[in-house]
Every structure is written in structure tokens, then in C-alpha cells.
Amino acid sequence: MEGQDEVSAREQHFHSQVRESTICFLLFAILYIVSYFIITRYKRKSDEQEDEDAIVNRISLFLSTFTLAVSAGAVLLLPFSIISNEILLSFPQNYYIQWLNGSLIHGLWNLASLFSNLCLFVLMPFAFFFLESEGFAGLKKGIRARILETVVMLVLLALLILGIVWVASALIDNDAASMESLYDLWEFYLPYLYSCISLMGCLLLLLCTPVGLSRMFTVMGQLLVKPTILEDLDEQIYIITLEEEALQRRLNGLSSSVDYNIMDLEQELENVKTLKTKLERRKKASAWERNLVYPAVMVLLLIETSISVLLVACNILCLLVDETAMPKGTRGPGIGNASLSAFGFVGAALEIILIFYLMVSSVVGFYSLRFFGNFIPKKDDTTMTKIIGNCVSILVLSSALPVMSRTLGLHKLHLSNTTRDSETSKASANGHHKAL
């Protein structure tokens, strides 16, 4: 009887592992397809020739798509965990959601962490060096020569980074035990290095998010149609049309000897055409789009920004006044044990909206900074090098988002108890089976 119970437990464990692997694969496949369409929308269109550079670009494209899919998964895991917790609380005995358990969520987080390390330290450096490589002098040119040069560059880069981290750790903590622990590459070195990069990502998020919150109003104002209050669009379009015709006549009358005047006039004509296009779009927009959508979106942005600032201020006051509000490490409710908000499902939905809003604001703020302004992708005119830089930046921001959300008090879910909870449920199920 005990042998049958052991076989049944092994079968249940096997089926759960297969189910979790299938779900993870399907979710990642969807994210990969969406990421591929996004990157190909901005990637510069090259010749469809099967030459060496085309193969290198295609490999770099696949690696960048993989990294962008991992970044999207890291962003979506936090809302997915919150909504899963509320669903398990609302329907604890539902047969159709038994697959949505703590083991699956914990496995997704582990995979996201593993793939983030893999993309950040292996795939993206390989894609960049592989794209810029030409092969060592004296060797036969080809894909193998490029791969050899890329591998050598990666080894040298790894040695440089490991040496810098080892020296920094020796200077900060001059302890033999701490320096010996650095020799353990998998258990200590890589998590320590990834923690340093997550710290830099958190600092970057704290820098970009306030800028993005202020820039969101400007960006949405450019995307939406503003209300026409005391404006005559027909008159403005007529004036801008006359100005366009005048510039066109001046360009046709100038000789090719004054190149600088022609370039200035062409730029001015392009600006006039852009302005005319915007005015025509405002004229064609419907009344509800002009008078309802724009004010509603602006009010919604104002409310979300105010709630974000209010929650952060309340969390800071709680940390300063109440000692019980401090993070307690691994203690806390796991998946499906308690609601994350006092308002239940409504509060969890509000947290999800705020997390997405903070992520979008941080991305907008990142591209609004002067130093990263050149990273802005353009449709059908973005080089692979710039795509790799964008993917790495988004990966760093998305990896730091859970840490920032936990720090600001927007997310109080503890995943450390999920393994324990799953083991407890399995033990209770086995005990129930034996009792039967």
C-alpha cells in the first residue's frame, strides 16, 4: 500500500512538473512572438540577401527578441502574482484553477531570474560583440572567425568584470572568508554581481520615474487630439498651406550653388508639412474624441500620479513611525494565504494599475533624459546596435521593478513560502490519501 502511495506521489509530481513546464513554454512563446513583431517594426530594413552580415543580423535579432521577451515576462510576473493570489483566495476549491498554485508562481520567478542573468551576462554581450566582430587578422573570414573573436572578447570581458568585483569586495570587506566566498562562482559571485546591477537599476528607476511622471502629460498631449476652444482650424490650415506653397516656390527658384539655403528651406518645409498634418488630424477627429477623450485621459493621469505619490508618502511615514512596517525578510503571507490589500480585489487591481503606470513612466523618463535621448527607436530606421542597447536598458529597468515596488510599499507578496506551502499541501494530500 505504501509503495502504491509513493508511486502515486511520484506520478502527481511528474504531472505537475510537466504542466508547469508546458504553461511556462506557452507563456514565453506568446511573449517571444509579440517581442519579435515589436522589434521588426523598428528594425532598419536591410537587403534580403543571404550574405554573412545578414546571418549575423538575424542571430542578433533572435537574441534581442529573447531578451525583450524576458523583460516583458519580468514586468508581467508581478501583476500575474498579485492577480493569482486574489483568484486563489476567491476560488480556493475550484477544479479549473488548480494549476494556478504557489509552485508555478515560484518556478516562473526562478526562470525569470535565471533568464535575466543569462541575457544580461551572456546573450546581449555576445550579440553586441558578434555584430561588431570581423574575425582576427590572418584567419579566414566567415561566421566561424566572427564566433571565435566574439568568444575571446567575452572571456576577456568576464575576466575583467570578475577582477573588478573581486578587488571591490576586497577593498570594502577585507575578510578572508568573504574573499574566499567569491571563488564560488555560481552560489555567490553571479548573484552578488546581479544584485549590484539590480541596485543600479533601482537607482536608475528612482531617477527616471519622477521625470517620466512629469513627461507623461506632455507625451499624452502629443498623442491625443486636444479640444478646439476658441480656435479656427480652417483658418490655420489655410495659412499653413500658403506658407507651404511659398516655401515650395522659393525652393524651385533657388539655384544649386547655395546648398546651405536649400537645406534650411527643406527643413523648414518639412516642419510646415508636419504641422499641417497635425492640424488636419485635429480637424478630422470627432467631437467626442476632442472633447471627452483628452480631458478624461489627463484627469486619469493626474489621479494615478496623485495616488502613487500618496502611497509612497504613506509608506515612508509608516517606515519612520511603525517598526512593524519594516521588511521582515522571508516572513509574510505566501500565495493564496491572505489578500495583499485591505480593499481586496479592488485594491489588488489598483496596485497592478499603479505598477504598470510606474513602469511606463520610468521608460518615458529614461528616454527623456538627455544622455539616453539617442536611444529612442525610430520606425523602420533603428540599427541592431541601438536595438541591443534598448533591450539591455529595458531588461535592467524591468529587473529592478519588483525591488522598487516592494521598497515603495506597492507589493507585499512573499514568494519564499510558496515551496513550503506546496510541500504542506502535498503532505496533507498524501495523508488524506492514506486515510482513505
Side-chain angles (χ1 to χ4, degrees), residues 56 158 374 381:
V56 172
N374 295 328
D381 192 27

Side-chain angles (χ1 to χ4, degrees), residues 192-331:
Y192 175 73
L193 189 59
Y194 186 70
S195 299
C196 294
I197 294 178
S198 297
L199 175 61
M200 291 188 295
C202 287
L203 296 178
L204 186 61
L205 271 180
L206 293 176
L207 177 64
C208 296
T209 304
V211 179
L213 290 176
S214 61
R215 284 280 300 171
M216 283 294 292
F217 295 92
T218 304
V219 172
M220 295 307 296
Q222 294 174 353
L223 295 176
L224 299 176
V225 178
K226 297 181 180 180
T228 56
I229 302 176
L230 301 179
E231 284 185 301
D232 191 353
L233 293 179
D234 293 329
E235 183 179 355
Q236 293 183 15
I237 293 175
Y238 178 72
I239 294 174
I240 207 71
T241 303
L242 293 178
E243 186 176 355
E244 180 184 2
E245 293 176 355
L247 289 174
Q248 191 65 47
R249 285 195 298 268
R250 289 181 60 185
L251 277 174
N252 295 332
L254 288 178
S255 61
S256 60
S257 58
V258 283
D259 294 335
Y260 61 93
N261 287 335
I262 293 178
M263 294 178 60
D264 294 340
L265 287 175
E266 287 179 350
Q267 182 64 35
E268 188 176 355
L269 181 60
E270 188 68 27
N271 296 334
V272 169
K273 289 182 179 180
T274 303
L275 181 58
K276 182 181 178 181
T277 303
K278 293 181 179 179
L279 291 175
E280 290 177 348
R281 179 172 176 264
R282 292 182 62 187
K283 182 180 179 181
K284 293 178 181 178
S286 59
W288 69 269
E289 184 180 358
R290 290 195 304 265
N291 302 322
L292 182 61
V293 175
Y294 182 83
V297 171
M298 288 301 167
V299 171
L300 183 61
L301 288 179
L302 183 61
I303 292 174
E304 290 181 349
T305 305
S306 303
I307 292 176
S308 302
V309 175
L310 183 61
L311 286 178
V312 171
C314 293
N315 185 60
I316 293 175
L317 289 177
C318 290
L319 293 177
L320 292 176
V321 177
D322 190 5
E323 292 183 357
T324 60
M326 294 295 291
K328 302 298 182 183
T330 59
R331 288 184 290 177

Side-chain angles (χ1 to χ4, degrees), residues 53-118:
D53 292 334
I55 298 175
V56 172
N57 286 330
R58 191 175 296 112
I59 294 175
S60 301
L61 174 64
F62 292 154
L63 296 180
S64 301
T65 305
F66 184 87
T67 303
L68 187 60
V70 172
S71 304
V75 173
L76 294 175
L77 265 181
L78 199 54
F80 182 74
S81 302
I82 296 175
I83 198 67
S84 300
N85 181 73
E86 299 301 325
I87 290 176
L88 289 175
L89 284 175
S90 302
F91 309 99
Q93 303 297 331
N94 195 326
Y95 174 77
Y96 296 101
I97 61 170
Q98 292 300 314
W99 58 272
L100 194 63
N101 50 27
S103 178
L104 173 64
I105 305 298
H106 196 269
L108 288 174
W109 278 98
N110 289 335
L111 287 177
S113 177
L114 174 63
F115 286 154
S116 297
N117 283 284
L118 179 65

Side-chain angles (χ1 to χ4, degrees), residues 138-166:
L139 296 179
K140 184 180 179 180
K141 301 297 181 181
I143 299 296
R144 292 184 179 180
R146 285 193 168 192
I147 293 177
L148 178 61
E149 181 182 355
T150 304
V151 171
V152 172
M153 292 297 298
L154 286 178
V155 172
L156 294 178
L157 180 63
L159 293 177
L160 177 63
I161 294 177
L162 294 179
I164 291 175
V165 175
W166 197 89

